[in-house]
Structures are given as structure tokens and as C-alpha cells.
Amino acid sequence: MSTSSGLLYAASRINPPSKISADVFNAWYDGVHVPDVLKTSGINTAVRYETAVVPQDSSPWAFLALYPVPDIEFLNTEEFASIPATSDALPGPTHSCMDIAQFDIRRYREVGKRHDLDMPTGEYM
């Protein structure tokens, strides 16, 4: 069986009324969650974005994380499922990211790739 690369897409927004600030959410995401994801054997790159729409709360999803996955089947493993969703960096009593934010998680399998040789290249990740 051949492996197929893919992309994990994770859009998020803080639940209203906000229990935490965007700064606290981003500090948890960048300082706790992304390192937990990158500790796994199946994901070694993460890129995060925030909406360019101003004001941010007018965008349906304020934040986006993209994780290229060399083998899309990794996302079906116990190792992937065991990435913590709780942290002391988040408000109690549960300290769960699911209590303070909503997530739109999608998995994409690569179906094609094209390189335009006339386009200047830059470092993406």
C-alpha cells in the first residue's frame, strides 16, 4: 500500500462571550498545542495564520493552522488522537480548548502538485 501525503486544516475561533483574549489563545496554541502536535512522529511542520479581515470578529474563523502530513493515514492513528486537548494554560475548570473555542478540522489528501518554473520561489515553510 502506497502512502499519500495530505494536509490537516484547522480553523478556529474563540467562543463568545470570550473567556480568554486572543493573546492568551495564541500563546496556548503556539506555545503548547503546536509543540504537542510536532512531538508526534507524523507531523513535523505547522503554519498558523490569523484573518486579515478587520475587525477580526467579523470573520467566521479568526485563526487557521495548516499541517502538511507526509502520510495522511497518520491522522487515523492512536498517536494522533492522543494529542492533548487540555492544558493548564487554558481557563478552568476543564482547561479544555473545546470549552473556549470552536474548531473546523478538515483532512485533505493530495491529488496533484504543479511547480511553475517561471514563478520566483520563496521560502514557504
Side-chain angles (χ1 to χ4, degrees):
M1 177 179 215
S2 65
T3 62
S4 178
S5 63
L7 183 69
L8 178 63
Y9 163 106
S12 58
R13 62 180 166 223
I14 299 170
N15 288 335
S18 179
K19 294 180 183 177
I20 64 169
S21 68
D23 289 342
V24 171
F25 180 73
N26 286 324
W28 163 78
Y29 215 118
D30 293 332
V32 178
H33 183 65
V34 168
D36 284 344
V37 172
L38 298 180
K39 285 179 197 172
T40 68
S41 64
I43 301 175
N44 61 17
T45 302
V47 181
R48 290 197 63 236
Y49 300 90
E50 67 180 6
T51 185
V53 175
V54 177
Q56 271 192 341
D57 55 354
S58 67
S59 176
W61 298 101
F63 306 102
L64 174 64
L66 298 175
Y67 305 91
V69 183
D71 180 359
I72 195 77
E73 290 306 313
F74 173 74
L75 302 178
N76 296 321
T77 66
E78 179 61 35
E79 180 184 5
F80 177 73
S82 69
I83 295 170
T86 61
S87 167
D88 288 341
L90 298 173
T94 66
H95 303 283
S96 172
C97 64
M98 301 306 194
D99 289 342
I100 54 103
Q102 294 175 333
F103 296 88
D104 177 16
I105 310 293
R106 300 174 190 213
R107 301 168 183 206
Y108 292 91
R109 183 180 317 279
E110 186 177 299
V111 294
K113 186 183 286 188
R114 177 176 178 209
H115 297 280
D116 188 339
L117 300 177
D118 294 329
M119 185 67 124
T121 60
E123 190 171 318
Y124 175 67
M125 291 182 216

